[in-house]
Amino acid sequence: MGNIQILLRQHVGAPCAAIVAAGDKVEKGTLIATPTGLGANIFSSVYGVVEEVLEDRIVIKPDEEQKDEFVPIAEGSKLEMVKAAGVVGMGGAGFPTGVKIGTDLEGGYILINAAECEPGLRHNIQQIEEECDKIIRGVKHTMEISNAAKAIFAIKKKNEKAVQTLKEALKEEENISIHLLPDIYPMGEERAVVRECLGIELKPTDLPSVAKSIVINVETLARVTEAIEERKPCFSKNLTVIGKLNGGNEPHVFKDVPVGTSVADLIERAGG
């Protein structure tokens, strides 16, 4: 594993401020940077030593041995724990989840974005197939926090195994349903999800809250579950690597990749 480079802007909003210095030893889950405005806590994703603190990033040299244990966040309310864990949107936008789900939906909707819209991506669908229960628990936590009455999984019809897994898991859940999406790009855009699930056409400047809804990514919900149930800080990411690779052109899914891992390392893991 090469050096880990953790950017101080991991999310929508202002860059975070480093609270560590060169030479400091860190563990998985050590808080290394805090928000200066709209933002989220940033944690070390490895055991190691801080090599440099630059204007835009923290560079960490990982230890050869990486333990599974992590530094837990403090206990608190469910919303406080999501904020403390530094959870942000895992679908790409990176909006701080604690801010998003802190909205009172007054009986509205949680819309789970399982469209996995970009061609070639596979990690969200694979997570539904393998960790469906964790995601559903995240849905329930989020419904409770945001005062939502219903939740809808928005997933493309073509993902037959994941759809069937969800149907089985949701048989007894009268307030959580599935909406099948066509295989059209960009079906994962949040206004498209609102339109498809609720039949409400949002203006380009409207947020989903106009439709009493929150759109949230599959992996984000799993990280919400980890924050609340395991007191786990958010320091890893599920990824798909795809392209002209020696390891084959099919999607290579890597789960719980430490934040700050280089693209070169991931390409090497996929066969080079």
Side-chain angles (χ1 to χ4, degrees), residues 112-129:
I112 302 99
N113 190 347
E116 195 139 54
C117 195
E118 300 296 331
L121 294 188
R122 179 82 177 92
H123 55 276
N124 278 179
I125 295 303
Q126 185 168 315
Q127 188 164 30
I128 290 172
E129 294 169 357

Side-chain angles (χ1 to χ4, degrees), residues 112-114 124 127-128 135 153 216-223:
I112 302 99
N113 190 347
N124 278 179
Q127 188 164 30
I128 290 172
I135 295 163
F153 276 87
I216 190 164
N217 170 266
V218 166
E219 184 183 347
T220 310
L221 289 163
R223 303 301 176 193

Side-chain angles (χ1 to χ4, degrees), residues 259-271:
V259 168
T261 300
S262 72
V263 172
D265 280 353
L266 289 167
I267 291 172
E268 195 63 32
R269 284 179 64 182

Side-chain angles (χ1 to χ4, degrees), residues 23-265:
D24 287 354
K25 288 190 67 65
V26 292
E27 301 177 0
K28 287 181 183 176
T30 298
L31 183 63
I32 60 173
T34 54
T36 58
L38 176 65
N41 288 334
I42 297 176
F43 300 86
S44 173
S45 56
V46 293
Y47 285 82
V49 177
V50 176
E51 278 212 339
E52 291 183 279
V53 177
L54 304 174
E55 185 178 352
D56 66 339
R57 71 193 64 195
I58 296 169
V59 182
I60 301 171
K61 181 178 175 59
D63 293 342
E64 285 192 22
E65 181 187 350
Q66 292 292 320
K67 295 180 285 188
D68 291 333
E69 291 83 6
F70 55 83
V71 180
I73 59 170
E75 290 197 48
S77 71
K78 290 185 177 184
L79 181 58
E80 287 168 347
M81 293 176 81
V82 171
K83 289 180 177 179
V87 180
V88 300
M90 296 282 163
F95 193 84
T97 303
V99 176
K100 176 182 277 194
I101 67 175
T103 304
D104 184 354
L105 292 179
E106 300 175 341
Y109 292 85
I110 299 296
L111 305 179
I112 302 99
N113 190 347
E116 195 139 54
C117 195
E118 300 296 331
L121 294 188
R122 179 82 177 92
H123 55 276
N124 278 179
I125 295 303
Q126 185 168 315
Q127 188 164 30
I128 290 172
E129 294 169 357
E130 296 176 353
E131 296 183 304
C132 195
D133 185 57
K134 179 191 278 191
I135 295 163
I136 292 170
R137 297 201 309 276
V139 172
K140 291 179 177 179
H141 290 313
T142 304
M143 289 173 72
E144 179 185 332
I145 291 168
S146 61
N147 190 25
K150 302 279 186 181
I152 303 172
F153 276 87
I155 184 170
K156 289 184 177 179
K157 183 179 180 181
K158 70 173 184 177
N159 295 308
E160 295 179 2
K161 182 180 177 182
V163 170
Q164 190 56 42
T165 301
L166 277 172
K167 284 181 176 177
E168 286 294 317
L170 296 174
K171 281 191 297 189
E172 307 298 325
E173 303 292 344
E174 60 182 40
N175 294 323
I176 307 177
S177 59
I178 302 169
H179 182 92
L180 298 179
L181 301 169
D183 188 16
I184 298 171
Y185 184 87
M187 192 51 68
E189 198 273 328
E190 66 178 8
R191 283 171 298 172
V193 172
V194 171
R195 183 189 68 235
E196 291 291 316
C197 292
L198 303 180
I200 297 172
E201 194 82 44
L202 296 177
K203 298 175 186 176
T205 55
D206 285 342
L207 294 172
S209 56
V210 172
K212 286 191 175 181
S213 64
I214 289 170
V215 180
I216 190 164
N217 170 266
V218 166
E219 184 183 347
T220 310
L221 289 163
R223 303 301 176 193
V224 166
T225 299
E226 290 173 354
I228 293 170
E229 298 181 6
E230 302 174 36
R231 296 170 57 195
K232 185 176 182 179
C234 189
F235 54 71
S236 57
K237 179 80 183 76
N238 298 341
L239 296 165
T240 303
V241 179
I242 188 169
K244 294 180 180 178
L245 298 162
N246 294 330
N249 296 343
E250 73 281 356
H252 298 260
V253 173
F254 301 113
K255 296 180 72 176
D256 294 321
V257 176
V259 168
T261 300
S262 72
V263 172
D265 280 353

